Amino acid sequence: EFSDEAITYLESENDKLQVEAECLLERQYIATQFNEILKEMGYNLLGQKANSINKDTFYTNRLYSYENGNVASVTFSSSGQISIEIGSVDNVSREPSKQEAIKQVKSMEKLCEDLPEIEERLAERGIVLKQRIAMQPACEEVAQIFNGKDYNIKVEKEEYIPIQKELVMYMEDEQWL
């Protein structure tokens, strides 16, 4: 038989786990819907990576094909934030050339035009963004190159790391558990 203190503790832990499970399901739903919307709009998933800062802080980054040979990098954080950036992909870490930066600016401007449609489609699926933050204007100074070696690049069939699995994993000795 359990003491009253033990029962209270177990009930409290159960409540915490239920809240965490609800958050996981919500983030999974949002990520899945986001992926489907981008696919409908002609973005193709190219690759992804998942990183863990610690047991409680992690993110998933997905690269989608975009226009002008550029990619849209979509990051889903464990806190529920989503960010989208434009860049190019290479097999090395480097700064973009002037020509690449100019092409990226045009894609950044196109992404800004796409955002209202993305938000509208999310709203149709019951997902309403609480806050939108524009970090930088479209300019050559924020152009970037993503190192393709950092991503699990998709070869034939579309597979992406489900958010629910990421949320319960953490990095230990370079191996996902």
Side-chain angles (χ1 to χ4, degrees):
E1 201 169 302
F2 292 105
S3 70
D4 289 343
E5 291 171 350
I7 291 171
T8 301
Y9 173 77
L10 290 172
E11 287 173 344
S12 172
E13 290 300 306
N14 184 52
D15 291 344
K16 289 177 191 176
L17 289 173
Q18 285 181 327
V19 168
E20 186 177 332
E22 289 172 12
C23 288
L24 291 171
L25 290 173
E26 180 180 281
R27 286 193 288 257
Q28 175 62 38
Y29 176 75
I30 291 169
T32 300
Q33 297 308 308
F34 207 92
N35 190 61
E36 288 178 12
I37 288 167
L38 291 182
K39 188 175 180 180
E40 290 167 7
M41 293 178 67
Y43 298 65
N44 293 309
L45 181 65
L46 300 175
Q48 64 191 350
K49 67 179 179 177
N51 285 310
S52 176
I53 296 169
N54 59 43
K55 184 177 153 188
D56 299 317
T57 307
F58 39 87
Y59 65 91
T60 297
N61 184 267
R62 297 179 181 159
L63 293 180
Y64 293 86
S65 61
Y66 201 61
E67 62 168 30
N68 295 326
N70 291 316
V71 296
S73 171
V74 180
T75 303
F76 298 91
S77 76
S78 56
S79 66
Q81 295 178 328
I82 302 170
S83 66
I84 307 174
E85 302 173 282
I86 295 295
S88 300
V89 177
D90 199 345
N91 286 325
V92 295
S93 297
R94 64 176 179 83
E95 294 295 317
S97 68
K98 177 80 170 164
Q99 184 179 8
E100 288 170 322
I102 291 168
K103 284 174 52 178
Q104 285 184 29
V105 169
K106 291 178 184 174
S107 293
M108 289 175 204
E109 292 166 349
K110 172 76 169 84
L111 176 64
C112 290
E113 294 171 11
D114 286 351
L115 285 177
E117 183 176 351
I118 292 169
E119 289 176 355
E120 183 179 314
R121 289 182 184 206
L122 285 168
E124 290 170 359
R125 297 168 188 220
I127 302 166
V128 179
L129 302 180
K130 292 181 182 175
Q131 184 178 22
R132 187 210 268 188
I133 302 171
M135 299 302 283
Q136 297 272 346
C139 62
E140 293 176 29
E141 289 76 23
V142 296
Q144 59 191 319
I145 302 292
F146 300 104
N147 188 336
K149 291 180 181 177
D150 295 339
Y151 293 83
N152 177 14
I153 301 295
K154 180 181 83 161
V155 178
E156 289 182 23
K157 69 178 191 172
E158 180 172 316
E159 290 184 19
Y160 61 92
I161 302 167
I163 295 294
Q164 73 222 40
K165 288 185 181 177
E166 298 159 23
L167 297 177
V168 296
M169 293 190 259
Y170 62 94
M171 189 66 116
E172 183 177 287
D173 297 326
E174 301 292 317
Q175 297 295 314
W176 284 103
L177 301 176

